[in-house]
């Protein structure tokens, strides 16, 4: 079970929720379930409204990073993902700093998700 902590200037205080291991819920779905106001529009990796910044509570632990082609394309277009970061994620299991909440599935790592509340503003 992972602990996902959401943090935003829009929220009164940070909120930590559990993500169930083996669940395939996205961070956006988890946020909605707990009434956490991450902006979104398409829910499909195209609009970038749901841009989030992700930090791992145990950065030294290897992660299985799953970036969809759509997420890579959208983040690259925004200037939030470099070719080096894609290689680091896919070859060295090093997670990128920015993700799309509608594409990022919570696994078993504890993470902190930060968002401004401005669509695409991370
Ligand atoms: Fe559009 Fe996530 S809601 S990219």
């Amino acid at each position: 079970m992972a602990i996902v902590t959401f943090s935003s200037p829009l929220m009164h205080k940070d909120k930590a929720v559990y993500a169930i291991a083996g669940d395939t819920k996205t961070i956006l779905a988890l946020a909605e379930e707990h009434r956490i106001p991450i902006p979104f529009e398409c829910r499909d990796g195209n609009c970038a409204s749901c841009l989030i910044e992700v930090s791992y509570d145990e950065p030294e632990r290897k992660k299985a990073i799953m970036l969809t082609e759509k997420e890579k394309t959208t983040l690259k277009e925004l200037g939030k993902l470099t070719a080096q970061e894609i290689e680091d994620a896919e070859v060295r299991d090093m997670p990128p700093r920015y993700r799309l909440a509608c594409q990022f599935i919570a696994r078993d790592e504890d993470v902190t998700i930060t968002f401004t509340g401005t669509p695409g503003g991370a």
Side-chain angles (χ1 to χ4, degrees):
M1 188 165 335
I3 299 173
V4 179
T5 304
F6 293 94
S7 182
S8 170
L10 287 185
M11 294 162 53
H12 186 57
K13 60 180 183 176
D14 292 357
K15 183 164 187 174
V17 303
Y18 288 109
I20 311 226
D23 204 343
T24 53
K25 223 174 249 177
T26 63
I27 290 291
L28 182 60
L30 192 65
E32 285 186 286
E33 188 181 308
H34 295 277
R35 298 174 176 266
I36 290 159
I38 295 179
F40 65 90
E41 282 177 35
C42 71
R43 295 175 173 275
D44 196 30
N46 293 315
C47 73
S49 296
C50 65
L51 185 70
I52 52 172
E53 193 171 340
V54 182
S55 62
Y56 287 79
D57 297 1
E58 290 180 83
E60 64 290 340
R61 203 169 131 201
K62 294 273 188 199
K63 329 304 185 284
I65 308 298
M66 296 272 298
L67 290 166
T68 62
E69 288 307 313
K70 212 179 265 186
E71 184 174 20
K72 283 191 262 186
T73 303
T74 302
L75 288 173
K76 274 198 298 194
E77 281 171 7
L78 274 182
K80 297 291 187 185
L81 187 69
T82 63
Q84 182 64 55
E85 286 174 308
I86 293 172
E87 190 184 321
D88 284 347
E90 293 178 342
V91 179
R92 289 179 268 286
D93 294 329
M94 291 167 55
R97 179 174 173 190
Y98 294 101
R99 297 293 303 267
L100 297 174
C102 71
Q103 301 293 296
F104 180 17
I105 293 173
R107 304 263 179 213
D108 62 347
E109 301 93 9
D110 295 346
V111 291
T112 298
I113 305 294
T114 309
F115 63 100
T116 62
T118 303

